[in-house]
């Protein structure tokens, strides 16, 4: 969502974020059976990173991966779905802080908020890293030696399909599965 998006689109996006916020409140992670589903689809280094996500982030990733798999994404696409938000690890923000960061991003515009906040320490810096989670997730995955598609999709998952290196058809499937 860019700062140039029409007001109605920004409001719809805001309502979607509120809905996602309510769904993210329970702190628990996926069931053991669901975690076995994940483990079977990730390389060991990818799994080590995935399992450090918070319970709500693991539930979100699992839901995205299941929808992506049902929509025909192949093994690399499903792994990319599981790992797309891994950069949120870098922010250290809980649900309440993420809401504030999201509102700041909507108010200031994403690029300006990232530029302004990531140079700061404390809570503002964490908000900046949360808003910059796509780029940071790509870096985390590259350093961990994750498969190239997962690394690319983490970096590009908030960009328009076809704007980056992930093929547009797959990007559309993954984007729809993510609900953004
Ligand atoms: Fe994301
Ligand atoms: Fe996501």
């Amino acid at each position: 969502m860019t700062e140039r998006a029409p007001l109605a689109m920004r409001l719809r996006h805001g309502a979607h974020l509120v809905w996602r916020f309510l769904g993210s409140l329970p702190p628990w992670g996926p069931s053991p059976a669901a975690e076995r589903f994940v483990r079977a689809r990730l390389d060991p280094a990818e799994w080590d990173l995935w399992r450090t996500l918070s319970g709500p982030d693991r539930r979100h990733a699992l839901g995205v991966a299941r929808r992506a798999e049902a929509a025909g994404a192949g093994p690399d696409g499903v792994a990319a779905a599981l790992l797309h938000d891994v950069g949120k690890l870098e922010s250290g923000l809980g649900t309440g802080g993420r809401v504030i960061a999201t509102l700041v991003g909507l108010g200031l515009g994403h690029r300006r908020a990232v530029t302004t906040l990531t140079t700061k320490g404390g809570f503002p810096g964490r908000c900046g890293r949360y808003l910059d989670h796509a780029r940071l997730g790509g870096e985390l995955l590259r350093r961990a030696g994750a498969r190239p598609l997962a690394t690319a999709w983490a970096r590009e998952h908030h960009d328009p399909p076809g704007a980056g290196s992930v093929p547009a058809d797959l990007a559309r499937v993954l984007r729809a599965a993510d609900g953004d």
Side-chain angles (χ1 to χ4, degrees), residues 97-160:
R98 291 176 180 197
V99 171
I100 293 170
T102 301
L103 291 174
V104 170
L106 288 172
L108 280 183
H110 184 267
R111 191 172 308 149
R112 188 166 152 219
V114 168
T115 306
T116 307
L117 295 174
T118 47
T119 57
K120 302 193 185 308
F123 181 71
R126 290 204 297 278
C127 289
R129 290 194 295 281
Y130 177 75
L131 292 171
D132 201 23
H133 72 268
R135 188 185 65 78
L136 294 171
E139 266 307 295
L140 268 179
L141 289 163
R142 188 187 62 75
R143 286 202 303 269
R147 70 195 77 197
L149 182 72
T151 301
W153 182 240
R155 197 183 307 118
E156 299 170 13
H157 75 275
H158 287 292
D159 299 338

Side-chain angles (χ1 to χ4, degrees), residues 55-82:
D57 285 344
R58 296 200 311 280
R59 293 203 318 269
H60 168 65
L62 176 70
V64 176
R66 285 195 154 138
R67 288 189 289 277
E69 192 167 81
D76 286 349
V78 173
L82 285 166

Side-chain angles (χ1 to χ4, degrees), residues 20 60 64 84-85 88 157 178 180:
R20 179 178 284 187
H60 168 65
V64 176
H84 72 283
D85 273 333
K88 290 180 179 177
H157 75 275
D178 195 12
D180 279 340

Side-chain angles (χ1 to χ4, degrees), residues 11-88:
L11 288 174
R12 262 202 311 279
H13 185 62
H16 163 73
L17 293 172
V18 169
W19 180 250
R20 179 178 284 187
F21 165 70
L22 293 174
S24 72
L25 287 177
W28 52 80
S31 68
E35 298 225 341
R36 284 195 292 278
F37 168 97
V38 175
R39 193 163 196 170
R41 285 159 178 79
L42 295 180
D43 295 339
E46 296 169 343
W47 164 254
D48 281 345
L49 209 46
W50 188 86
R51 65 208 286 256
T52 60
L53 288 166
S54 69
D57 285 344
R58 296 200 311 280
R59 293 203 318 269
H60 168 65
L62 176 70
V64 176
R66 285 195 154 138
R67 288 189 289 277
E69 192 167 81
D76 286 349
V78 173
L82 285 166
L83 294 162
H84 72 283
D85 273 333
V86 83
K88 290 180 179 177

